[in-house]
Amino acid sequence: MERYDTYDVPDPFADAMEAALSLAVRLSAAETTELDHAAVEQLIETDGREILRRFFQGHLDLRARQEENSPPPQEVTGPDGAPRTYRETGRARQLTCLFGTVSVTRLAWRSRGRPDVHPADVALSLPRGRHSAGIKRLAVREAIRSSYDQVVEAIGDRCGRVLGKRRAESLVVEAARDIDGFYHHKIASPCMADMPLVIQVDGKGVVMRPEALREATRRAALRKKRQGRQARLAPGEKPNRKRMATIATVHDTHPAKRRPHDIVHPPGGRSDRRKVSPGPKAVNRWCTASLIHDPDDVIAEAFAQAGDRDPGHHRPWLVLVDGARHQLDLIQAEARRRHVKIDILIDFVHVAEYIWTAAHAFHPVGSEAAETFAAEKLTAILHGHAARVADEMTTQAAAGHLPAAKRDTVTTSVNYLTGHLDQLHYDTALEAGWPIATGSVEGACRHLIGDRLDITGARWGLDGAEAVLKLRAVHANDDLDPYLAYHHTREHQRTHPDQHNYQLGA
């Protein structure tokens, strides 16, 4: 076997080893032994980062040397299929990684009038920009929980000054582009056939920059600006600075039968000693959200997730909403399109708000009479008698000679009940052990939007808000790590298409 003399080949890791030895000497020095643990820890962190950077650089230098010393191929072709016949050494580019900035040196294969080809870029899966996949992953993890100023600060503390605010935003937007494809290919969790499937839908506003508002909202804001700024909004008036996001959740549930008195406490407390039955438990929770896509697209996405869990439509499908008519129309249209039978329930908490509003029209706020009125009406509704409750409130308002304002309040509550009688079958839901409130999607609204996009002073551009919102949903689904791995693969395919053409010819 032919042997090669390697004595003159420099060790690519010599520089890193020298830095590691230097750190060991500093840690052994007398002045260092007088420092407290925090100072020593900071010293190791700072110098250790540089040592890691040098090890990474040494590895890249080793691969560059191996590429340069490898036998010349018969042919190298580009993505256009044309051969690249000229070889140029020493082509370098910068890569900003978790440890700092390194230089990637590789061969360039050239042909007049055609783009150069760098096979090492494919082998290393280098990004189009300067920042590595590790920096992008860290930016995503920080951005989904804190402001971009804090993102830059956190990454700076860990990696040094390697990332600015604007680039951090663009990395996060890039990272969110494959979420729809990821869930299109992800296999849904299996579940028992007797467990109901629950879909919940809601909406929540996000404060946007003027150019990111929907056209109707933007025009209303401009009209308001031309009229002059008011010190205070009129009752019911909106500031016209928010764009509505649609949020949907899907989960399986362990059914649990309950009685109306498990939901509504009798006035003055319970007279019996019976234990309150616990409600149904949600499992395998999944959520999605969007500011850009229309509500019908988000609803279709939720139905697709439910369909993946129950492709044969053998399980009960329950949809919970707050009663918005446009949501109900979209949900029913999607169910018809998919030929699936659904049961729709209005969130019982919303119904309770209307009943309490009517109670305060008849009785003083905070009075025992108001509490008794609300408890009786809500208990009757839970027993399936919503139509009777509406009739009783109409009769009581007419007989009580209420002032016009209070009579209008009662009429609004009555109209809400009569307009949703088909979605108020709580007696059936309690007997079947189904949930009757939208706690899952409301929790998702608070988590996805309230805890991040609604922080004080935040004003969002459309692409940035959509990216953070969807990435927070992926994180809430416990899918962030597999998603980022999927995204890295897709980025490689986009950056290096037809990579087999880059392979060295036999």
Side-chain angles (χ1 to χ4, degrees), residues 118-143:
H118 305 90
D121 287 7
V122 179
L124 288 166
S125 191
L126 296 181
R128 287 185 296 273
R130 285 185 53 180
H131 293 89
S132 70
I135 291 290
K136 179 187 284 189
R137 182 174 62 250
L138 185 56
V140 167
R141 289 192 171 278
E142 294 294 335

Short mmCIF file of all heavy atoms in Angstrom, two decimals, residues 118-143:
data_model
loop_
_atom_site.label_atom_id
_atom_site.label_comp_id
_atom_site.label_asym_id
_atom_site.label_seq_id
_atom_site.Cartn_x
_atom_site.Cartn_y
_atom_site.Cartn_z
N HIS A 118 -20.06 25.18 -6.41
CA HIS A 118 -19.25 24.87 -5.23
C HIS A 118 -19.79 23.59 -4.60
O HIS A 118 -20.73 23.64 -3.80
CB HIS A 118 -19.31 26.00 -4.22
CG HIS A 118 -18.92 27.34 -4.78
ND1 HIS A 118 -19.83 28.20 -5.36
CD2 HIS A 118 -17.70 27.95 -4.87
CE1 HIS A 118 -19.20 29.29 -5.76
NE2 HIS A 118 -17.91 29.17 -5.47
N PRO A 119 -19.24 22.43 -4.92
CA PRO A 119 -19.74 21.17 -4.36
C PRO A 119 -19.71 21.13 -2.83
O PRO A 119 -20.57 20.50 -2.21
CB PRO A 119 -18.82 20.12 -4.97
CG PRO A 119 -18.33 20.74 -6.23
CD PRO A 119 -18.19 22.19 -5.93
N ALA A 120 -18.75 21.82 -2.22
CA ALA A 120 -18.66 21.81 -0.76
C ALA A 120 -19.85 22.50 -0.11
O ALA A 120 -20.23 22.17 1.01
CB ALA A 120 -17.35 22.46 -0.31
N ASP A 121 -20.44 23.48 -0.81
CA ASP A 121 -21.62 24.14 -0.27
C ASP A 121 -22.76 23.15 -0.07
O ASP A 121 -23.53 23.24 0.88
CB ASP A 121 -22.08 25.26 -1.20
CG ASP A 121 -21.15 26.46 -1.15
OD1 ASP A 121 -20.10 26.36 -0.51
OD2 ASP A 121 -21.49 27.48 -1.78
N VAL A 122 -22.86 22.19 -1.00
CA VAL A 122 -23.90 21.16 -0.89
C VAL A 122 -23.56 20.21 0.24
O VAL A 122 -24.42 19.86 1.06
CB VAL A 122 -24.04 20.39 -2.21
CG1 VAL A 122 -25.11 19.31 -2.09
CG2 VAL A 122 -24.40 21.34 -3.35
N ALA A 123 -22.29 19.78 0.30
CA ALA A 123 -21.90 18.82 1.33
C ALA A 123 -22.09 19.40 2.73
O ALA A 123 -22.50 18.69 3.66
CB ALA A 123 -20.44 18.41 1.13
N LEU A 124 -21.82 20.71 2.89
CA LEU A 124 -21.99 21.36 4.19
C LEU A 124 -23.39 21.91 4.38
O LEU A 124 -23.71 22.40 5.47
CB LEU A 124 -20.98 22.50 4.32
CG LEU A 124 -19.52 22.09 4.53
CD1 LEU A 124 -18.59 23.27 4.30
CD2 LEU A 124 -19.33 21.54 5.93
N SER A 125 -24.22 21.87 3.33
CA SER A 125 -25.57 22.44 3.37
C SER A 125 -25.53 23.88 3.86
O SER A 125 -26.27 24.28 4.77
CB SER A 125 -26.50 21.61 4.27
OG SER A 125 -27.84 22.02 4.12
N LEU A 126 -24.66 24.68 3.24
CA LEU A 126 -24.52 26.07 3.65
C LEU A 126 -25.76 26.87 3.26
O LEU A 126 -26.36 26.64 2.21
CB LEU A 126 -23.28 26.68 3.00
CG LEU A 126 -21.94 26.07 3.43
CD1 LEU A 126 -20.79 26.79 2.73
CD2 LEU A 126 -21.77 26.11 4.93
N PRO A 127 -26.14 27.83 4.08
CA PRO A 127 -27.33 28.65 3.77
C PRO A 127 -27.02 29.68 2.70
O PRO A 127 -25.85 29.95 2.38
CB PRO A 127 -27.64 29.32 5.11
CG PRO A 127 -26.31 29.44 5.78
CD PRO A 127 -25.53 28.21 5.37
N ARG A 128 -28.07 30.30 2.20
CA ARG A 128 -27.87 31.38 1.22
C ARG A 128 -27.22 32.59 1.87
O ARG A 128 -26.38 33.26 1.27
CB ARG A 128 -29.21 31.78 0.60
CG ARG A 128 -29.77 30.78 -0.39
CD ARG A 128 -31.03 31.33 -1.05
NE ARG A 128 -32.10 31.51 -0.08
CZ ARG A 128 -32.96 30.57 0.27
NH1 ARG A 128 -32.89 29.37 -0.28
NH2 ARG A 128 -33.91 30.80 1.16
N GLY A 129 -27.62 32.91 3.08
CA GLY A 129 -27.04 34.05 3.79
C GLY A 129 -25.86 33.64 4.65
O GLY A 129 -25.33 32.53 4.53
N ARG A 130 -25.48 34.54 5.52
CA ARG A 130 -24.30 34.30 6.35
C ARG A 130 -24.59 33.46 7.59
O ARG A 130 -23.70 32.82 8.12
CB ARG A 130 -23.69 35.63 6.80
CG ARG A 130 -22.91 36.37 5.74
CD ARG A 130 -22.24 37.60 6.32
NE ARG A 130 -21.43 37.28 7.47
CZ ARG A 130 -20.73 38.18 8.16
NH1 ARG A 130 -20.76 39.46 7.80
NH2 ARG A 130 -20.01 37.83 9.20
N HIS A 131 -25.83 33.50 8.08
CA HIS A 131 -26.10 32.93 9.40
C HIS A 131 -26.44 31.45 9.31
O HIS A 131 -27.21 31.01 8.45
CB HIS A 131 -27.23 33.71 10.07
CG HIS A 131 -26.83 35.11 10.42
ND1 HIS A 131 -27.00 36.16 9.55
CD2 HIS A 131 -26.24 35.64 11.54
CE1 HIS A 131 -26.55 37.27 10.11
NE2 HIS A 131 -26.09 36.98 11.31
N SER A 132 -25.87 30.70 10.23
CA SER A 132 -26.00 29.25 10.23
C SER A 132 -27.39 28.81 10.68
O SER A 132 -28.18 29.59 11.21
CB SER A 132 -24.95 28.64 11.15
OG SER A 132 -25.26 28.93 12.51
N ALA A 133 -27.65 27.51 10.50
CA ALA A 133 -28.91 26.94 10.97
C ALA A 133 -29.01 27.03 12.49
O ALA A 133 -30.11 27.20 13.03
CB ALA A 133 -29.02 25.48 10.52
N GLY A 134 -27.89 26.95 13.18
CA GLY A 134 -27.91 27.07 14.64
C GLY A 134 -28.33 28.45 15.09
O GLY A 134 -29.09 28.59 16.06
N ILE A 135 -27.85 29.49 14.41
CA ILE A 135 -28.26 30.85 14.74
C ILE A 135 -29.74 31.03 14.46
O ILE A 135 -30.48 31.63 15.26
CB ILE A 135 -27.43 31.86 13.94
CG1 ILE A 135 -25.98 31.87 14.42
CG2 ILE A 135 -28.03 33.26 14.04
CD1 ILE A 135 -25.77 32.45 15.79
N LYS A 136 -30.23 30.52 13.33
CA LYS A 136 -31.66 30.62 13.03
C LYS A 136 -32.49 29.91 14.08
O LYS A 136 -33.51 30.45 14.55
CB LYS A 136 -31.95 30.05 11.64
CG LYS A 136 -33.42 30.08 11.26
CD LYS A 136 -33.71 29.36 9.96
CE LYS A 136 -33.28 30.18 8.78
NZ LYS A 136 -33.76 29.57 7.49
N ARG A 137 -32.08 28.70 14.45
CA ARG A 137 -32.83 27.95 15.46
C ARG A 137 -32.87 28.72 16.78
O ARG A 137 -33.93 28.80 17.44
CB ARG A 137 -32.17 26.59 15.66
CG ARG A 137 -32.90 25.70 16.67
CD ARG A 137 -32.29 24.31 16.72
NE ARG A 137 -30.90 24.34 17.18
CZ ARG A 137 -29.86 24.09 16.42
NH1 ARG A 137 -30.02 23.81 15.13
NH2 ARG A 137 -28.63 24.15 16.90
N LEU A 138 -31.76 29.31 17.17
CA LEU A 138 -31.72 30.07 18.43
C LEU A 138 -32.58 31.32 18.32
O LEU A 138 -33.29 31.68 19.27
CB LEU A 138 -30.27 30.44 18.75
CG LEU A 138 -30.01 31.13 20.09
CD1 LEU A 138 -30.54 30.28 21.24
CD2 LEU A 138 -28.53 31.41 20.26
N ALA A 139 -32.56 31.99 17.15
CA ALA A 139 -33.39 33.18 16.97
C ALA A 139 -34.88 32.84 17.07
O ALA A 139 -35.66 33.58 17.67
CB ALA A 139 -33.08 33.82 15.61
N VAL A 140 -35.27 31.70 16.51
CA VAL A 140 -36.67 31.28 16.59
C VAL A 140 -37.06 31.02 18.03
O VAL A 140 -38.12 31.48 18.50
CB VAL A 140 -36.89 30.02 15.71
CG1 VAL A 140 -38.25 29.39 16.02
CG2 VAL A 140 -36.80 30.38 14.24
N ARG A 141 -36.24 30.30 18.75
CA ARG A 141 -36.58 29.95 20.13
C ARG A 141 -36.70 31.20 21.01
O ARG A 141 -37.55 31.25 21.91
CB ARG A 141 -35.52 29.01 20.71
CG ARG A 141 -35.57 27.62 20.11
CD ARG A 141 -34.71 26.64 20.91
NE ARG A 141 -34.94 25.29 20.46
CZ ARG A 141 -35.95 24.53 20.83
NH1 ARG A 141 -36.85 25.02 21.67
NH2 ARG A 141 -36.10 23.31 20.38
N GLU A 142 -35.87 32.18 20.76
CA GLU A 142 -35.96 33.41 21.55
C GLU A 142 -37.12 34.28 21.08
O GLU A 142 -37.81 34.89 21.90
CB GLU A 142 -34.64 34.19 21.43
CG GLU A 142 -33.44 33.49 22.06
CD GLU A 142 -33.56 33.37 23.57
OE1 GLU A 142 -34.27 34.19 24.19
OE2 GLU A 142 -32.94 32.44 24.14
N ALA A 143 -37.37 34.34 19.77
CA ALA A 143 -38.39 35.24 19.24
C ALA A 143 -39.80 34.82 19.61
O ALA A 143 -40.70 35.66 19.70
CB ALA A 143 -38.28 35.34 17.72
#
